[in-house]
Amino acid sequence: MKFSLWMMPLAGLFLVFGETISSAEDDFQFRVESNLRARVAKVDITPPADTPVVGHIRPTSGVRDPLRAGVLLLANEQTRAAIITLDLINAPAELVSTLRDVVARNTETPRENILVAASHNHSGPGWSRESAWGREMVAKIGMAAAEAAKEMRPVTIGYGEDRIDFNINRRKVINGRAVVRLDPEGPCDHRVKVLRLDDGRSLEPMCVLMHAVCHPCVFTWGDKLTPPFPNGYPKISADFPGEAQTFVEKVYGPKTKSLFLQGCAGDIRPNLPGVPYRCGDEADIKWTGRSLGCAVVRAADLSVVREQRVNRKSIYPLKCATSVIELPGKKEKLSCEMQALRV
């Protein structure tokens, strides 16, 4: 009984204390003087639960977490640009062209200034114009872009870097031959690069754009020996990039949208030892996703302290460039589009 009496006022104290912190955060504002305007939107693009996954083809039944698309719109007095992110394995030419058409039409953004990027997720579907889901996905993104275009507001941008430690090289040279092995001594980019867009209305950023280097294959490529998923995780998932985006959005709250950009993953994968590596489980997806999320939040938060804010620009050039190059493939050369966006 004495324990209960002590706990009641203590709980009330915590409640008041929590409300005070929330109020202080809501009251914090800083001045934004900028020629750059922005807005961001995200939509759920999860397919029906029985949709086959690609990247690592395997039987799946159900959905662990949603797949999402993000649309970041940018504009200054001279031009507009957009970044579209997808929790998919790739963005084939037909999808890129289709998304550019609908976003350009709905936002007055030049087609050539629209960048479409997939996370390279190995636990989601492939896109096809012939599927009802594929057409619905494009329509959702188009509508989200149209709504975002109506709410553009001035922003400034902060930049920061941090690191992750769960990614590792998957090739090792043994007796002069490159074999599939986890190689902690192999080249690996552990950097996490973060852009934080703020409208100055609160400490919660409008958008956090993260960039990291690692195949999203925590839930794939089981070694057929390690339980509980020797054949790969049996549900649709956005893998660690989805987990990281969710983590960042939970930290900052509903005003913030986070987007993921994949780097040059090449031979970089999650460090899940096996024969030669195992399929991850729930603990692994939390470890990898939250590791990236924590790195992103650290970098984003540092970029908004007063010593960093004074270095933010007020004039942002918005320049885009696109080039098509040919790369060697296994059977023939591949035409690949490279795109750069400078802010």
Side-chain angles (χ1 to χ4, degrees):
M1 183 62 69
K2 289 183 179 180
F3 179 77
S4 298
L5 289 172
W6 279 104
M7 284 301 291
M8 288 175 64
L10 188 61
L13 176 63
F14 276 119
L15 178 60
V16 173
F17 182 64
E19 289 178 348
T20 302
I21 292 176
S22 178
S23 177
E25 289 178 350
D26 291 340
D27 292 342
F28 188 96
Q29 298 183 354
F30 56 92
R31 190 171 182 178
V32 168
E33 294 182 348
S34 171
N35 72 325
L36 183 68
R37 293 179 298 121
R39 196 61 176 163
V40 63
K42 292 186 76 172
V43 291
D44 190 323
I45 59 168
T46 309
D50 58 351
T51 304
V53 300
V54 295
H56 174 206
I57 299 174
R58 61 195 188 278
T60 54
S61 176
V63 177
R64 177 195 176 271
D65 55 281
L67 308 187
R68 292 172 291 178
V71 182
L72 173 61
L73 302 181
L74 302 166
N76 63 12
E77 59 277 355
Q78 294 180 327
T79 191
R80 294 171 176 259
I83 297 175
I84 303 171
T85 62
L86 307 166
D87 289 337
L88 301 179
I89 184 71
N90 63 358
E94 185 181 17
L95 174 57
V96 172
S97 179
T98 302
L99 287 174
R100 282 177 173 163
D101 285 342
V102 69
V103 172
R105 183 171 60 249
N106 290 356
T107 66
E108 299 182 353
T109 303
R111 286 185 83 261
E112 62 273 16
N113 290 2
I114 300 173
L115 185 152
V116 181
S119 69
H120 195 45
N121 173 31
H122 290 50
S123 293
W127 180 83
S128 170
R129 186 194 295 273
E130 306 304 318
S131 71
W133 166 77
R135 295 190 297 272
E136 180 184 11
M137 185 193 84
V138 171
K140 282 184 175 181
I141 294 172
M143 288 188 291
E147 290 302 312
K150 299 175 184 177
E151 301 177 353
M152 305 279 281
R153 62 183 62 162
V155 296
T156 60
I157 300 178
Y159 174 77
E161 291 190 11
D162 209 285
R163 295 176 65 83
I164 51 175
D165 61 3
F166 64 81
N167 53 347
I168 189 172
N169 197 293
R170 65 183 181 189
R171 289 288 190 274
K172 192 170 187 176
V173 177
I174 300 177
N175 297 326
R177 293 179 60 247
V179 296
V180 178
R181 294 287 190 279
L182 298 181
D183 183 8
E185 304 301 321
C188 183
D189 188 352
H190 296 285
R191 294 174 298 173
V192 176
K193 303 175 183 179
V194 178
L195 291 180
R196 170 181 174 139
L197 282 71
D198 287 286
D199 59 15
R201 299 185 181 189
S202 74
L203 267 179
E204 295 179 356
M206 174 193 291
C207 178
V208 175
L209 185 63
M210 67 184 84
H211 175 279
V213 180
C214 185
H215 280 262
C217 57
V218 170
F219 280 152
T220 63
W221 308 114
D223 60 13
K224 302 191 184 304
L225 298 174
T226 306
F229 309 118
N231 296 312
Y233 191 76
K235 292 186 178 182
I236 291 171
S237 170
D239 213 272
F240 79 81
E243 193 75 13
Q245 291 174 72
T246 297
F247 180 89
V248 171
E249 290 166 358
K250 285 183 177 179
V251 168
Y252 290 119
K255 297 179 183 178
T256 301
K257 303 293 188 293
S258 64
L259 309 180
F260 175 86
L261 288 177
Q262 181 63 261
C264 297
D267 278 324
I268 307 304
R269 75 168 331 272
N271 186 4
L272 302 174
V275 187
Y277 28 73
R278 61 177 173 81
C279 172
D281 56 25
E282 197 64 25
D284 298 308
I285 201 68
K286 298 294 187 187
W287 166 52
T288 54
R290 291 177 179 178
S291 292
L292 175 56
C294 285
V296 170
V297 170
R298 282 195 301 268
D301 281 352
L302 179 60
S303 75
V304 82
V305 300
R306 67 183 64 183
E307 291 81 6
Q308 299 296 322
R309 287 203 313 272
V310 298
N311 297 321
R312 294 193 179 189
K313 298 187 296 183
S314 60
I315 302 298
Y316 291 87
L318 193 53
K319 299 181 181 294
C320 302
T322 302
S323 178
V324 177
I325 63 172
E326 286 192 341
L327 296 176
K330 289 184 178 181
K331 297 181 179 179
E332 57 187 10
K333 290 184 177 180
L334 302 174
S335 294
C336 299
E337 181 180 283
M338 298 182 66
Q339 191 166 10
L341 191 157
R342 180 186 177 190
V343 181

